[in-house]
Amino acid sequence: MNHIKTYAYNHTPLKFDFKQTIERFFVEEIPLYTFTGTGNYLILKIKKTDMSTWKLITVLAKATGLEERDIGYAGLKDKNATTIQYISLPKKYEKELNKNLTTEKIEILERTYNKSPIKIGHLKGNRFSIVLHKISENESKFFNTTAKKMQVDGIPNYYGYQRFGEDSRSYLQGKEIAHSGKRLKGSKEKLLVSAYQSYLYNKWLGSRVKLSAIIRDHNAEESAKKLQYPLELIKVLAKQPQFFKLFIGDIIMPYPHGKTNFVKDMMQSAQIFKQGKTSPTGLLCGANALRAQSDAYHLEEEYDDAELSSLKGDRRYAWIWPKEVETKYDNQSRKLTVEFYLPKGSYATTFLEEIGKFSLKEI
């Protein structure tokens, strides 16, 4: 999907070797709330290797005799990683679990109880630890400086390449299904249509990042000419303190959660955005989706699809702030370990690609 990705930062690209493997890619879920410690649901903190969340749920269902739909999880985690995530199941099945769960790929780190099951989205975010190879000492220092800067200034919240399947083209099947007018059958069709939603969102975000970069990198007259915007509008946009330029009618939300609102005063909204208190959102087109208004609507319209109604629409933060960024370099092995936190729904690979300025997807 990098053919539509435009990077926000204008530093020199960095060289490093990235592979998503169980030895080099670690992710841990941060729960949305503290569990009650009592209740009818068993909460498992599970460490798994070389196993997708779907497979984990299948294994747990087999061990307990439960239906897969009765096993709760907050988010999907990749197979090619070492991951820690939280799972819920009815407490009365705990004995069956103890008796029948035998795989070495699953380790139960902690158990507690809760009054309600875990549902999709019930997490604050994820903490990552990723080992990069073949990086020089100088580049590791530059990596650290750049990552710390991104912690302050934020990054575009693109969907990662993982969203679009092995050949990066699953969104095309999703588009076909969305335009067929049929009701979606099963999780696979939903996944394909959501890949199409994500593709349109990424294209919109890329266009807004490109527009913002033109205003940053050129004087007002050149920007006006390139974008074919009135010079007065360019001057107003250029005064906004944040890289990502806001327009009248953009939909913003308090960060990291809150209710949507429309931009009415560009400079006032831009100043709050610069402080990391709010963030603009992009459209995930679908049923009942909230659309931008005014100027922002015209920028969004090209990446909307009114025919997509089989999935619920939504808004997604267009700009996020990585947190808790730490790096550790090993001179002998030329390896850099990068640790950081991202809010839910954001991709570690998107953060790394913004620093490296190249696609991490293996061809």
Coordinates of all heavy atoms in Angstrom, one line a residue, residues 28-35 43 72-77 84-88 114-126 341 343-345:
E28 N 2.2 -6.2 23.6 CA 1.4 -6.5 24.8 C 0.2 -5.5 24.8 O 0.4 -4.3 24.7 CB 2.2 -6.3 26.0 CG 1.4 -6.5 27.3 CD 2.2 -6.5 28.6 OE1 3.5 -6.3 28.5 OE2 1.6 -6.5 29.7
E29 N -1.0 -6.1 25.0 CA -2.2 -5.2 25.1 C -2.2 -4.5 26.5 O -1.8 -5.1 27.5 CB -3.4 -6.1 25.1 CG -3.9 -6.5 23.7 CD -5.2 -7.3 23.7 OE1 -5.7 -7.7 24.7 OE2 -5.6 -7.6 22.5
I30 N -2.7 -3.3 26.4 CA -3.0 -2.5 27.7 C -4.5 -2.5 27.8 O -5.2 -1.8 27.0 CB -2.3 -1.1 27.6 CG1 -0.9 -1.2 27.2 CG2 -2.5 -0.4 29.0 CD1 0.0 -2.0 28.1
P31 N -5.1 -3.1 28.8 CA -6.5 -3.1 29.0 C -7.1 -1.8 29.1 O -6.5 -0.8 29.6 CB -6.8 -4.0 30.2 CG -5.5 -4.7 30.5 CD -4.4 -3.8 30.0
L32 N -8.4 -1.6 28.7 CA -9.1 -0.4 28.8 C -9.4 0.0 30.3 O -9.4 1.2 30.6 CB -10.4 -0.5 28.0 CG -11.3 0.8 27.9 CD1 -10.5 1.9 27.2 CD2 -12.6 0.5 27.2
Y33 N -9.6 -1.0 31.1 CA -10.0 -0.8 32.5 C -9.4 -1.8 33.4 O -9.0 -2.9 32.9 CB -11.5 -0.7 32.7 CG -12.2 -1.9 32.0 CD1 -12.2 -3.2 32.6 CD2 -12.9 -1.8 30.8 CE1 -12.9 -4.2 32.1 CE2 -13.5 -2.8 30.2 CZ -13.5 -4.1 30.8 OH -14.1 -5.1 30.2
T34 N -9.4 -1.6 34.7 CA -9.0 -2.6 35.7 C -10.1 -3.6 35.9 O -11.2 -3.2 36.1 CB -8.6 -1.9 37.0 OG1 -7.7 -0.8 36.7 CG2 -8.0 -2.8 38.0
F35 N -9.7 -4.9 35.9 CA -10.7 -5.9 36.1 C -11.1 -6.0 37.6 O -10.4 -5.7 38.5 CB -10.2 -7.3 35.6 CG -9.8 -7.3 34.2 CD1 -8.4 -7.4 33.8 CD2 -10.7 -7.1 33.2 CE1 -8.1 -7.3 32.4 CE2 -10.4 -7.1 31.8 CZ -9.0 -7.2 31.5
I43 N -10.8 -14.1 33.3 CA -10.0 -13.2 32.5 C -8.6 -13.8 32.5 O -7.9 -14.0 33.5 CB -9.9 -11.8 33.0 CG1 -11.3 -11.2 33.2 CG2 -9.0 -10.9 32.1 CD1 -12.1 -11.0 31.9
G72 N -14.2 -14.0 24.6 CA -14.1 -12.6 24.4 C -12.6 -12.2 24.2 O -11.7 -12.7 24.8
Y73 N -12.4 -11.2 23.3 CA -11.1 -10.7 23.0 C -11.2 -9.2 22.7 O -12.2 -8.8 22.2 CB -10.3 -11.5 21.9 CG -11.0 -11.4 20.6 CD1 -10.6 -10.4 19.6 CD2 -12.0 -12.2 20.2 CE1 -11.2 -10.3 18.4 CE2 -12.7 -12.1 19.0 CZ -12.2 -11.2 18.1 OH -12.9 -11.0 16.9
A74 N -10.1 -8.4 22.9 CA -10.2 -7.0 22.7 C -9.7 -6.6 21.3 O -10.2 -5.6 20.7 CB -9.4 -6.3 23.8
G75 N -8.7 -7.3 20.8 CA -8.1 -7.0 19.5 C -7.4 -8.2 18.9 O -7.1 -9.1 19.6
L76 N -7.2 -8.1 17.6 CA -6.5 -9.2 16.9 C -5.0 -9.0 16.9 O -4.5 -7.9 16.7 CB -7.0 -9.3 15.4 CG -8.5 -9.6 15.2 CD1 -8.8 -9.5 13.7 CD2 -8.8 -11.0 15.7
K77 N -4.3 -10.1 17.1 CA -2.8 -10.0 17.2 C -2.3 -11.0 16.1 O -2.8 -12.1 15.9 CB -2.3 -10.4 18.6 CG -2.7 -9.4 19.7 CD -2.0 -8.1 19.6 CE -2.6 -7.1 20.5 NZ -3.8 -6.4 20.1
I84 N 1.1 -10.7 24.0 CA 0.4 -10.9 25.2 C -1.0 -10.2 25.1 O -1.0 -9.0 24.8 CB 1.2 -10.2 26.4 CG1 2.5 -11.0 26.6 CG2 0.3 -10.3 27.7 CD1 3.4 -10.4 27.7
Q85 N -2.0 -11.0 25.2 CA -3.4 -10.4 25.1 C -4.3 -11.0 26.2 O -4.0 -12.0 26.8 CB -3.9 -10.5 23.7 CG -4.3 -11.9 23.3 CD -4.8 -11.8 21.8 OE1 -4.3 -12.4 20.9 NE2 -6.0 -11.1 21.6
Y86 N -5.4 -10.3 26.4 CA -6.4 -10.7 27.4 C -7.6 -11.4 26.7 O -8.1 -10.9 25.7 CB -6.9 -9.5 28.2 CG -5.8 -8.9 29.0 CD1 -4.8 -8.0 28.5 CD2 -5.7 -9.3 30.4 CE1 -3.8 -7.5 29.3 CE2 -4.7 -8.8 31.2 CZ -3.7 -7.9 30.7 OH -2.7 -7.4 31.4
I87 N -8.1 -12.4 27.3 CA -9.2 -13.2 26.8 C -10.2 -13.5 27.9 O -9.7 -13.6 29.1 CB -8.6 -14.6 26.3 CG1 -7.7 -14.4 25.1 CG2 -9.8 -15.6 26.0 CD1 -8.3 -14.1 23.8
S88 N -11.4 -13.5 27.6 CA -12.4 -13.8 28.7 C -13.3 -15.0 28.2 O -13.5 -15.2 27.1 CB -13.4 -12.6 28.9 OG -14.2 -12.4 27.8
N114 N -13.9 -11.1 36.2 CA -14.6 -9.8 35.9 C -16.1 -10.0 35.8 O -16.6 -11.1 35.6 CB -14.0 -9.2 34.6 CG -14.2 -7.7 34.5 OD1 -13.9 -7.0 35.5 ND2 -14.8 -7.3 33.4
K115 N -16.8 -8.9 36.0 CA -18.3 -9.0 36.0 C -18.9 -9.0 34.6 O -20.0 -9.4 34.4 CB -18.9 -7.8 36.8 CG -18.7 -8.0 38.3 CD -19.2 -6.9 39.1 CE -18.9 -7.1 40.6 NZ -19.2 -6.0 41.4
S116 N -18.1 -8.6 33.6 CA -18.5 -8.7 32.2 C -17.4 -9.2 31.3 O -16.2 -9.2 31.7 CB -18.9 -7.3 31.8 OG -17.8 -6.4 31.9
P117 N -17.8 -9.7 30.1 CA -16.8 -10.3 29.2 C -16.0 -9.2 28.5 O -16.4 -8.0 28.5 CB -17.6 -11.1 28.2 CG -18.9 -10.4 28.2 CD -19.2 -9.9 29.6
I118 N -14.8 -9.5 28.0 CA -14.1 -8.6 27.2 C -14.7 -8.5 25.8 O -15.1 -9.5 25.2 CB -12.6 -9.0 27.0 CG1 -11.9 -9.0 28.4 CG2 -11.8 -8.2 26.0 CD1 -10.5 -9.6 28.4
K119 N -14.8 -7.3 25.3 CA -15.4 -7.1 23.9 C -14.4 -6.4 23.0 O -13.4 -5.8 23.5 CB -16.7 -6.3 24.0 CG -17.8 -7.0 24.7 CD -19.1 -6.3 24.7 CE -20.2 -7.1 25.4 NZ -21.4 -6.3 25.5
I120 N -14.6 -6.5 21.7 CA -13.7 -5.9 20.7 C -13.6 -4.4 21.0 O -14.6 -3.8 21.2 CB -14.1 -6.2 19.3 CG1 -14.0 -7.7 18.9 CG2 -13.4 -5.4 18.3 CD1 -14.6 -8.1 17.7
G121 N -12.3 -4.0 21.0 CA -12.1 -2.5 21.3 C -11.9 -2.2 22.7 O -11.5 -1.1 23.1
H122 N -12.0 -3.2 23.6 CA -11.8 -2.9 25.1 C -10.3 -2.9 25.4 O -9.9 -3.7 26.2 CB -12.5 -4.0 25.9 CG -14.0 -3.7 26.1 ND1 -14.8 -4.4 27.0 CD2 -14.8 -2.8 25.5 CE1 -16.0 -3.9 27.0 NE2 -16.1 -3.0 26.1
L123 N -9.6 -2.0 24.8 CA -8.2 -1.8 25.2 C -7.8 -0.4 24.9 O -8.3 0.3 24.1 CB -7.3 -2.8 24.4 CG -7.0 -2.6 22.9 CD1 -5.7 -3.4 22.5 CD2 -8.1 -3.1 22.0
K124 N -6.8 0.1 25.7 CA -6.3 1.4 25.6 C -5.4 1.5 24.4 O -5.4 2.4 23.6 CB -5.5 1.8 26.8 CG -6.4 2.4 28.0 CD -5.5 2.8 29.1 CE -6.3 3.1 30.3 NZ -5.5 3.3 31.5
G125 N -4.5 0.5 24.3 CA -3.5 0.5 23.2 C -2.6 -0.7 23.4 O -2.9 -1.6 24.1
N126 N -1.5 -0.6 22.7 CA -0.5 -1.7 22.7 C 0.9 -1.2 23.0 O 1.3 -0.1 22.5 CB -0.5 -2.5 21.4 CG -1.9 -3.1 21.1 OD1 -2.2 -4.1 21.7 ND2 -2.6 -2.6 20.2
Y341 N 4.7 2.8 22.8 CA 3.3 2.6 23.0 C 2.5 3.3 21.9 O 2.8 4.5 21.6 CB 2.8 3.1 24.4 CG 1.3 3.2 24.6 CD1 0.6 2.1 25.1 CD2 0.7 4.4 24.2 CE1 -0.8 2.3 25.3 CE2 -0.7 4.5 24.4 CZ -1.4 3.4 24.9 OH -2.8 3.5 25.1
P343 N -1.8 4.0 20.6 CA -3.2 3.8 20.9 C -3.8 2.7 20.1 O -3.3 2.3 19.0 CB -3.9 5.1 20.5 CG -3.0 5.8 19.6 CD -1.6 5.3 19.9
K344 N -4.9 2.1 20.5 CA -5.6 1.0 19.8 C -5.8 1.3 18.4 O -6.2 2.4 18.0 CB -6.8 0.5 20.6 CG -8.0 1.5 20.5 CD -9.2 1.0 21.1 CE -10.4 1.9 21.0 NZ -11.6 1.5 21.7
G345 N -5.7 0.2 17.5 CA -6.0 0.4 16.1 C -4.9 1.0 15.3 O -5.0 1.1 14.1

